Each structure stands twice: as structure tokens, then as C-alpha cells.
Amino acid sequence: MTALPLSRTPAADDVSSPVADEPVALLQLDLSDPVEAASAVYRQVRRGRRVVAVACGRADASARLAEALDAIGVGAIRPAPGDALLGAGVAIVAGSAAAPDRSPAPPDRPLRIALAGCGVVGGGVLPRLLADPRFEVVGVLVRDPDKARDVAIPAGLALSDPAALLAREPDVVVEAISDASTGLALIRAALSRGVDVVSANKQAVGGDLPGLTALAGNAGARLLYSASVGGGAPLIETVRRAAAQGSIVRMEAVLNGTCNFILNRLAEGGAFDDALTAARDAGFAEEDPTADLTGLDAAAKLAILAHEGLDRPLRIGTIARQTLSADAVLPAGRVRQIARLDVASGRTGVAFEAVDGDALFAVLPDEANALRVTLADGRVFTATGRGAGRRPTAESVWADLEELSELR
């Protein structure tokens, strides 16, 4: 796999604050559990911090941390002795063979978690929830409780009725349902009860984000949805940081890993149907990829980014879209599905564009997403990362859960 830089990376025309002015997190990590160590780094990176990670506990700790970070799309360097540590992104240095003794104190009461959906994303979150004493899984909502899955649901937890899930009185609903209407109804029902929600459902969140935000505020609940845009890439966080620095005038992004995968295969001379099958086999495309191919998925994500960066509603149905199909006529050259929002003209759209020579978009790997945000004063913020797949998206959900746990 090719590791992707997950923090804000300066583009050629980036005139924003120099890297030296960005905050730095120094982490001493126990590599007996590489997944949790990588999670600690990821949480700092999505906050816009450079990271120096001291990998402890094993002779091969640095290599194991680099591998775990690559799986979620975090680019990292391993400086040689004498090299500078504080470049952009993440630097890994070897620490002591003895792991740091930092066992967290057990919680007074674990957070009660109701998991809605046990597919690609939910199936990535469930094993970690079951293994972490800070959380107690009280129910798992699925269409068919008897269906065989690659992730086992413990006896007594599988449910098919959303009302029965909420009746188990969770503290948090983790919503990872593929259906927009079912997911939106569950989010509304949970928030109205004062239950916190972590969602990866872009169609549900993007369909009524202003209304959901107001509902959460009125009920004293929290709604977190980082995983709904960009998978493991911190696109929402990048837009928030950019908006905090000035007025956003333009957003351009590759927001759909399925289309990006297919377009890369088409550029290599492959057939559309073969590329779609390969995307499904790789876990980047749903069995029904209509939302991806018609641009509906990217439009929903653009609506969420508009809410974050401009604090104004953008209805998905008003966003012009193009469809990727075997018969689609594409521009010559390297092509991407680009979601655009231009504040001055008010134009929004999801279209296929040639991006030859664009350092950010032209060389994106298969499942990657990328974002460029331009401010009125000319500063540019960018971010890239793995935008599809179980591990990156589940990692984003996990980071939201960590935030809720820390707020207790």
C-alpha cells in the first residue's frame, strides 16, 4: 500500500501559515497493540497537529507503527539519526524496549453503545468495542440477525427493530447503516432522547445536517460524523480549521473512493464492468453502487462540507451531477470525479474533469479522497487520505467515540 499524507499538506500555491507554526504532539506509544498506537497518532493528526511518535516495547516497534498507520492512510517518515524530526506530518522514532506503563484507570461506568449496522464499517468497529472496557455493547441492529457475517455478534445482542435497540437505553448510538432513510430516522430518534450519536452515514447526515444539529442542541445530545466524509481522511476537520482562519471562497474535492478506483482502472485501459467488479471485490463499492456512480454520494458529502465551512444549508438535490457508466463520455487525460463549490458564483456540482498537472488530484491512489479549500486571502488548505474501506472509516468512527469518552 502507498501511505497517504493525512495532515494538511501545503500545495504548490499554499501561502498559509508555515509548518513551523503548527502545533506538535509528542507521543510515547506502547507497540504491543499497534492498532491502538496508530489510533493515538490519528487523533492528533486529524486535529491538525504534527506528531513525533516514540515507538516503544519491541525491537521492530517503529516498523509495526508505520505499517499500522499505513493501513488507515496516515503517511509517516522514519528519520535517520541526525535528520530533522519536525517536518510536516508524522515522524516515528525508536524508543525504549520497555513499553511505557500507562494503563488507563477503569471507568466508573462504561459507555453503553448501541451499534446500528454490522457491515463494512460497523463490522470494523464492533470487535474493538467488545475488547475495550470503556465501552459496553448493549445491542447491534441488523436486517437479519441470523445471517452469517465475517464479524461475529455475541449472543443476545443482534436486533432487527430500531425501537428495541433504543429501548436498551444506550449512552451512544453508533450509526453505520447503508440506508439513508432508516439511518436518518434512527439518528433523529436517538438525539430526541438525549442520546449521543456517532454516524458514518453521509446520506442521512447530509440530508438534514442543520436540522440534526439543532435537534442535538435542544436535547443536550452530541452528534459526531467525521466518518461520513472522507473515510479516514480528516476532510471535515480540515474545512473547520480553514474556516477558523478566514472566509472560504472555494472547495474542490475528490470525495468518492469507488469512482476514483474505477477511473484509475479506465485510465489503464480496463473495461468499466471489470473495474466495478474489482472495486466491489476490494471492499470500496457497495453491492448497489448507484449513489457512487450518479454522484449522489459526493453531493451528500459536499453538502456536509458546505455546512461546516460556510454555515449555510446546501440541499443535495440542488447540486448538479454527472453519472459514471460504461457509456459515459469522459474528458481526455487523467480524470477525476470533482465536487466543487464556488461561493462567488454560487455554483455547485459533481462532474468528471481532467486533472493533468494538478499535484493534489492527478496521482490519487485507488480509494483515496482529497480536498482543497481556498480562503479569500489566497491561503489554501489541503488534505488527503483513504476515503473508503473498513479500516480507515472505522478508525474515524473510533476517533469520534474516543472524543465522547474523553468528555465524560
Side-chain angles (χ1 to χ4, degrees), residues 85-231:
L85 295 180
L86 298 180
V90 177
I92 301 173
V93 296
S96 65
D101 183 12
R102 290 184 181 165
S103 301
D108 294 334
R109 179 181 70 81
L111 276 176
R112 293 170 58 84
I113 308 295
L115 177 62
C118 196
V120 172
V121 179
V125 175
L126 180 58
R128 294 181 72 176
L129 286 171
L130 294 171
D132 195 317
R134 294 172 301 170
F135 307 108
E136 176 190 359
V137 180
V138 298
V140 180
L141 184 69
V142 292
R143 287 195 185 95
D144 180 3
D146 297 323
K147 176 183 176 181
R149 293 176 172 81
D150 62 345
V151 174
I153 301 175
L157 292 184
L159 301 164
S160 59
D161 180 4
L165 185 74
L166 293 177
R168 296 196 173 183
E169 299 184 348
D171 299 309
V172 183
V173 169
V174 176
E175 190 273 315
I177 300 173
S178 58
D179 179 71
S181 60
T182 303
L184 182 57
L186 180 60
I187 293 171
R188 285 174 173 157
L191 292 176
S192 66
R193 294 176 178 222
V195 176
D196 295 335
V197 173
V198 172
S199 179
N201 191 331
K202 58 270 184 179
Q203 297 292 340
V205 173
D208 186 26
L209 185 50
L212 294 176
T213 301
L215 178 59
N218 291 335
R222 287 163 291 202
L223 172 63
L224 288 77
Y225 45 88
S226 181
S228 67
V229 182

Side-chain angles (χ1 to χ4, degrees), residues 282-295:
F284 302 142
E286 301 285 349
E287 189 59 34
D288 179 2
T290 302
D292 299 320
L293 301 180
T294 63

Side-chain angles (χ1 to χ4, degrees), residues 44 52 121 151 174 176 299 340 353:
Q44 297 299 325
V52 176
V121 179
V151 174
V174 176
R340 289 187 182 274
E353 302 180 13

Side-chain angles (χ1 to χ4, degrees), residues 12-383:
D13 55 349
D14 192 343
V15 292
S16 58
S17 301
V19 168
D21 290 342
E22 293 178 350
V24 178
L26 176 62
L27 303 179
Q28 189 178 25
L29 301 170
D30 176 3
L31 263 294
S32 61
D33 189 338
V35 171
E36 289 304 320
S39 289
V41 174
Y42 173 82
R43 291 195 300 275
Q44 297 299 325
V45 169
R46 82 172 195 166
R47 292 169 181 167
R49 297 169 180 165
R50 293 175 293 156
V51 178
V52 176
V54 182
C56 305
R58 305 172 50 110
D60 61 348
S62 296
R64 286 168 62 85
L65 179 57
E67 182 180 355
L69 289 171
D70 180 57
I72 58 177
V74 179
I77 61 170
R78 297 162 64 187
D83 288 351
L85 295 180
L86 298 180
V90 177
I92 301 173
V93 296
S96 65
D101 183 12
R102 290 184 181 165
S103 301
D108 294 334
R109 179 181 70 81
L111 276 176
R112 293 170 58 84
I113 308 295
L115 177 62
C118 196
V120 172
V121 179
V125 175
L126 180 58
R128 294 181 72 176
L129 286 171
L130 294 171
D132 195 317
R134 294 172 301 170
F135 307 108
E136 176 190 359
V137 180
V138 298
V140 180
L141 184 69
V142 292
R143 287 195 185 95
D144 180 3
D146 297 323
K147 176 183 176 181
R149 293 176 172 81
D150 62 345
V151 174
I153 301 175
L157 292 184
L159 301 164
S160 59
D161 180 4
L165 185 74
L166 293 177
R168 296 196 173 183
E169 299 184 348
D171 299 309
V172 183
V173 169
V174 176
E175 190 273 315
I177 300 173
S178 58
D179 179 71
S181 60
T182 303
L184 182 57
L186 180 60
I187 293 171
R188 285 174 173 157
L191 292 176
S192 66
R193 294 176 178 222
V195 176
D196 295 335
V197 173
V198 172
S199 179
N201 191 331
K202 58 270 184 179
Q203 297 292 340
V205 173
D208 186 26
L209 185 50
L212 294 176
T213 301
L215 178 59
N218 291 335
R222 287 163 291 202
L223 172 63
L224 288 77
Y225 45 88
S226 181
S228 67
V229 182
L235 304 191
I236 288 175
E237 291 79 8
T238 299
V239 169
R240 288 172 179 166
R241 287 198 294 275
Q245 295 295 315
S247 298
I248 293 174
V249 296
R250 188 178 309 107
M251 287 192 281
E252 310 154 89
V254 171
L255 298 175
N256 186 268
T258 301
C259 282
N260 204 61
F261 184 101
I262 292 172
L263 289 168
N264 277 346
R265 294 300 182 275
L266 295 180
E268 296 166 357
F272 174 84
D273 289 341
D274 293 339
L276 178 56
T277 298
R280 285 198 184 103
D281 292 342
F284 302 142
E286 301 285 349
E287 189 59 34
D288 179 2
T290 302
D292 299 320
L293 301 180
T294 63
L296 185 61
D297 176 86
K301 294 172 181 176
L302 185 61
I304 294 170
L305 295 179
H307 174 85
E308 294 295 333
L310 304 173
D311 195 25
R312 69 184 191 193
L314 176 61
R315 295 200 172 276
I316 298 172
T318 66
I319 301 173
R321 297 181 279 120
Q322 292 181 335
T323 297
L324 181 61
S325 68
D327 301 323
V329 179
L330 300 175
R334 177 66 67 175
V335 177
R336 300 291 178 217
Q337 184 197 59
I338 302 292
R340 289 187 182 274
L341 185 156
D342 186 89
V343 173
S345 66
R347 288 198 297 269
T348 62
V350 177
F352 297 99
E353 302 180 13
V355 294
D356 296 292
D358 189 310
L360 180 64
F361 295 136
V363 295
L364 286 180
D366 289 337
E367 76 276 29
N369 282 186
L371 168 72
R372 179 186 293 127
V373 183
T374 305
L375 302 186
D377 61 9
R379 284 180 292 171
V380 175
F381 287 75
T382 66

